[in-house]
Amino acid sequence: MNKKLAAVLSGGTALLLALTGCGSDDEGNKKLDDWAKKVCDQMQPQVKKILDANQSIASVQTEEDSKKVQQTDSAAFQVSVDAYKALANAVQDAGAPPVKDGETSQKNAAKALNDLSTAYANLKKRSDALDTGDKTKFGEGLRGIGGDVAKLSGQSSEALKKLQSGDVGKAMAKQPGCQKNSLSPSPAKS
């Protein structure tokens, strides 16, 4: 009953990994590198928390005890709420990247991350309200939540892609906290 939710959450993982940039370019200015370092130093621990939360949801996808699934999902959603909020704060605290339209990109990315935090808080409330005594209704509720997670991932990825595009993405890719290898999720069991 939780397989669809786990699959949708892996889409959220793809969104997180989009934050991390890819590639390298030895060119770039010190201000941009300093900005990327501020963001990336805060990013890695938060992304790890979100990936771990997604993994915990995946770990109960075949669990028959609805209460255990609900408790695991609720805890994982709360971790995501806090981590996305921390990511938004990291982007806000770093200020605008020193590039053309940097302020707009920063505001859009921070808004997208804050929106994700709020949306995960709503998913937690909905998950907590599901009736664990009726497995059919519980499964239907989880499917609805999974569909909403998929929508969230799509809506937020655009602003995040814009933030990590061009020179900003290159500067972020140089930072250890933003390198994909350090944040690769474990494959979910099916």
Side-chain angles (χ1 to χ4, degrees):
M1 74 179 108
N2 212 16
K3 286 183 180 184
K4 184 172 182 175
L5 181 58
V8 170
L9 286 172
S10 69
T13 301
L15 169 66
L16 288 172
L17 294 176
L19 269 172
T20 63
C22 181
S24 67
D25 182 352
D26 290 335
E27 296 175 18
N29 65 47
K30 174 107 173 80
K31 286 182 181 179
L32 186 56
D33 288 342
D34 289 346
W35 180 90
K37 182 171 177 23
K38 282 184 197 174
V39 173
C40 293
D41 284 354
Q42 298 299 313
M43 188 174 291
Q44 186 174 28
Q46 301 309 321
V47 171
K48 183 177 181 345
K49 288 177 188 177
I50 294 166
L51 294 174
D52 289 347
N54 290 348
Q55 187 62 36
S56 72
I57 289 172
S59 75
V60 295
Q61 66 186 350
T62 58
E63 176 63 51
E64 292 298 320
D65 182 350
S66 298
K67 274 202 175 302
K68 184 173 180 181
V69 171
Q70 184 181 48
Q71 290 169 345
T72 300
D73 288 357
S74 180
F77 288 147
Q78 185 60 53
V79 167
S80 294
V81 167
D82 297 339
Y84 279 117
K85 185 69 172 165
L87 286 170
N89 289 338
V91 170
Q92 288 172 329
D93 292 347
V99 296
K100 182 181 177 190
D101 297 325
E103 188 174 329
T104 300
S105 294
Q106 176 217 15
K107 285 180 181 177
N108 289 343
K111 181 182 181 328
L113 291 164
N114 277 318
D115 288 349
L116 275 171
S117 178
T118 299
Y120 273 95
N122 290 332
L123 292 178
K124 181 185 181 314
K125 286 179 192 171
R126 286 176 47 203
S127 175
D128 291 348
L130 292 176
D131 179 4
T132 58
D134 184 333
K135 288 188 185 249
T136 303
K137 283 185 180 179
F138 184 74
E140 289 171 2
L142 283 180
R143 283 188 287 281
I145 290 170
D148 288 347
V149 171
K151 290 176 190 172
L152 290 173
S153 296
Q155 292 169 356
S156 298
S157 64
E158 237 0 85
L160 297 173
K161 283 181 189 175
K162 286 179 184 175
L163 177 69
Q164 59 100 43
S165 66
D167 291 338
V168 172
K170 291 174 186 174
M172 290 174 80
K174 290 188 234 177
Q175 301 301 317
C178 283
Q179 291 174 352
K180 284 188 178 184
N181 292 343
S182 64
L183 301 173
S184 295
S186 303
K189 295 175 183 164
S190 49

